[in-house]
């Protein structure tokens, strides 16, 4: 499924940004999202897996099947960004940076001297 | 620890409220995630967060599952039946212009909706969905009963009743044909090639 340039919903955005550094399993992903947001975003299992499901459907992430690199004894599912997902994540990052710079510029310009 | 176990047990039973496909795909991972959360945070806090999470995500998943469900041919067939009924009504109306106009209007509107619905559900043929054939079969007798009850209560709009009866016959006929097609599909699947 092809994505348009619409901004990602909040949960999807946090997940794709968390996956920029590499593949993660569900719990690690949830913790990473918590770290990136200074603990402000704490996803429940339903939100996390519901969002992962949508992102897989949209072709932004894939479930990785190669477990050789992992030392886990338990069966875990890892997720990583697809090339399209990485492009979308970087585009979102750029959009947010632009937004922050623009708002900061307006605040600096409009602030009383 | 007991609190953890109770939270996980309650959560596992509440997972049944999700659509089956979602539950089958992610249920185990969700329970594992909850267990890991309980090892990091107090069980009551995790439980409270999960309650809110369940309240939001269960309806969302049901909605998504419904939207992703493949469409059947039932709706286009119903509107095709209505269009055919309208056309028959117009033909049987004979010299009565009002009946002819009403019948043709119904046929055009229902036919247009049917055409759009056929386009959405895909062409009839090898992939004909025969799901819900019995609904069409039952629709006919239900309409006939409604007409009889209406007549019993003194409703005299005989044009509407006539149209309803025609639609009833067409719907039941279509349902019977679909039922036969379903039997044929089953029969062809049962024969090894």
């Amino acid at each position: 499924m092809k994505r348009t340039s619409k901004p990602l919903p909040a949960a999807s955005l946090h997940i794709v940004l968390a996956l920029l550094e590499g593949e993660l399993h569900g719990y690690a992903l949830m913790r990473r999202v918590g770290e990136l947001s200074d603990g402000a975003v704490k996803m429940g299992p339903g939100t996390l897996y519901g969002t992962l499901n949508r992102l897989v459907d949209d072709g932004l992430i894939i479930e990785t099947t190669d477990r050789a690199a992992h030392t886990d004894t338990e069966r875990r599912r890892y997720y990583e960004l697809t090339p399209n997902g990485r492009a979308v994540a970087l585009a979102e990052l750029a959009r947010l940076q632009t937004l922050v710079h623009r708002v900061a510029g307006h605040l600096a310009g409009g602030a009383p001297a | 620890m007991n609190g953890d176990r109770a939270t996980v047990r309650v959560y596992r039973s509440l997972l049944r409220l999700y659509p089956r496909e979602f539950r089958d795909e992610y249920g185990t991972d969700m329970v594992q995630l909850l267990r890991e959360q309980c090892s990091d945070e107090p069980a009551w806090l995790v439980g409270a967060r999960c309650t809110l999470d369940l309240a939001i995500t269960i309806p969302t998943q049901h909605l998504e599952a419904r939207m992703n469900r493949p469409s059947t041919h039932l709706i286009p067939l119903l509107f095709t039946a209505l269009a055919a009924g309208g056309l028959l009504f117009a033909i049987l109306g004979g010299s009565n212009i009002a009946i002819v106009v009403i019948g043709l209007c119904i046929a055009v509107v229902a036919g247009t909706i049917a055409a759009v619905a056929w386009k959405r559900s895909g062409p009839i043929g090898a992939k004909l969905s025969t799901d819900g054939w019995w609904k069409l079969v039952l629709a006919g007798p239900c309409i006939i009963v409604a007409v009889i009850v209406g007549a019993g209560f003194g409703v005299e709009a005989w044009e509407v009743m006539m149209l309803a009866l025609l639609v009833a016959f067409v719907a039941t006929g279509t349902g019977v044909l679909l039922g036969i097609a379903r039997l044929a599909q089953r029969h062809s699947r049962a024969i090894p090639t």
Side-chain angles (χ1 to χ4, degrees):
Chain A
M1 198 182 290
K2 204 174 179 181
R3 277 201 65 83
T4 60
S5 57
K6 270 197 322 188
L8 287 174
S12 302
L13 175 69
H14 281 101
I15 288 176
V16 294
L17 292 183
L19 287 173
L20 269 174
E21 288 174 24
E23 63 172 12
L24 292 169
H25 59 73
Y27 184 57
L29 187 51
M30 199 199 70
R31 289 189 66 143
R32 185 76 189 123
V33 167
E35 282 166 21
L36 287 176
S37 62
D38 279 336
V41 178
K42 287 189 175 174
M43 288 183 188
T47 305
L48 181 74
Y49 283 100
T51 309
L52 286 172
N53 191 29
R54 272 193 294 280
L55 290 171
V56 169
D57 283 349
D58 285 346
L60 298 186
I61 63 170
I62 48 164
E63 194 185 311
T64 53
T65 50
D66 182 15
R67 297 282 179 276
H70 303 291
T71 53
D72 295 346
T73 49
E74 281 181 282
R75 174 198 159 275
R76 280 186 192 274
R77 283 203 259 203
Y78 284 75
Y79 296 91
E80 71 176 5
L81 289 171
T82 60
N84 183 31
R86 176 163 285 273
V88 168
L90 293 174
E92 282 290 303
L93 209 53
R95 186 181 65 80
L96 290 173
Q97 279 169 342
T98 309
L99 182 73
V100 169
H101 284 138
R102 198 164 288 163
V103 173
H106 279 298
L107 286 177
Chain B
M1 279 297 133
N2 284 339
D4 295 5
R5 251 181 256 139
T7 306
V8 171
R9 202 167 51 237
V10 171
Y11 187 72
R12 188 178 281 131
S13 57
L14 287 174
L15 280 183
R16 288 180 199 159
L17 298 174
Y18 281 105
R20 187 190 289 175
E21 281 176 17
F22 183 77
R23 193 173 64 220
D24 290 348
E25 184 71 28
Y26 297 109
T28 314
D29 298 288
M30 288 163 80
V31 171
Q32 190 180 345
L33 182 71
L34 183 88
R35 205 176 277 133
E36 287 170 319
Q37 278 184 304
C38 283
S39 64
D40 275 1
E41 293 177 273
W44 67 267
L45 186 61
V46 175
R49 198 186 302 134
C50 280
T51 306
L52 189 65
D53 184 60
L54 286 165
I56 294 167
T57 57
I58 288 171
T60 310
Q61 287 305 327
H62 277 285
L63 196 65
E64 283 187 18
R66 182 163 280 277
M67 287 169 76
N68 293 332
R69 200 172 291 163
S71 53
T72 68
H73 291 100
L74 189 63
I75 299 294
L77 278 170
L78 270 173
F79 278 99
T80 306
L82 188 62
L87 203 60
L88 272 173
F89 187 62
I91 292 166
L92 292 174
S95 57
N96 192 331
I97 296 297
I99 292 174
V100 173
V101 170
I102 290 170
L104 285 178
C105 283
I106 290 168
V108 168
V109 173
T112 308
I113 296 172
V116 173
W118 277 119
K119 205 172 176 183
R120 281 197 61 193
S121 63
I124 200 163
K127 284 182 73 181
L128 170 67
S129 167
T130 52
D131 293 344
W133 63 273
W134 57 272
K135 291 179 190 167
L136 279 171
V137 173
L138 279 181
C142 288
I143 294 170
I144 291 168
V145 168
V147 168
I148 292 169
V149 170
F153 278 100
V155 176
E156 289 179 356
W158 71 269
E159 293 96 341
V160 177
M161 289 181 174
M162 182 78 175
L163 175 64
L165 286 175
L166 282 171
V167 171
F169 285 122
V170 175
T172 301
T174 312
V176 169
L177 287 176
L178 273 182
I180 293 167
R182 191 178 186 84
L183 276 176
Q185 281 176 354
R186 276 193 183 170
H187 182 68
S188 63
R189 268 200 297 267
I191 297 169
T193 50

